[in-house]
Amino acid sequence: ALGGDHQSALAWAEEAARHPNGNFWTHLGVAASNATLGRHDEARRALEQARAVKSDLTHGYIAQTLPFETNQIRDRVFGITRQLGLPD
């Protein structure tokens, strides 16, 4: 979603989230893609699904487990997820 083809990113993330082995990361992808496309209600629902899978999901956890290529990418992701209500 952060690379610019948000609609394709959303389609990929939704497909991954439907997979039986999908995890909270796939729901975060759906949330970020929807938010970037201005679909905030859908984005919040996807974040709720991610937190249903991993109830202790926070920005701190993401920062510790997901290596961001740049601080700019991290800041964009955190900006989106903060707007959706993910705690620090």
Side-chain angles (χ1 to χ4, degrees):
L2 298 173
D5 188 356
H6 308 297
Q7 193 61 49
S8 291
L10 176 59
W12 177 89
E14 287 177 333
E15 179 64 28
R18 283 190 293 270
H19 192 276
N21 293 329
N23 60 34
F24 67 93
W25 292 114
T26 61
H27 296 292
L28 279 178
V30 173
S33 297
N34 272 312
T36 303
L37 290 166
R39 300 173 183 163
H40 300 291
D41 290 338
E42 293 90 338
R44 283 185 193 89
R45 278 193 295 276
L47 182 59
E48 288 172 9
Q49 290 174 320
R51 297 203 70 211
V53 174
K54 180 154 183 60
S55 61
D56 61 343
L57 181 61
T58 63
H59 288 110
Y61 178 81
I62 294 171
Q64 290 176 356
T65 58
L66 184 64
F68 289 99
E69 189 172 332
T70 67
N71 289 340
Q72 181 182 10
I73 293 172
R74 183 203 61 221
D75 293 346
R76 284 185 70 192
V77 169
F78 285 6
I80 290 168
T81 53
R82 277 194 181 100
Q83 284 182 319
L84 296 176
L86 186 68
D88 285 333

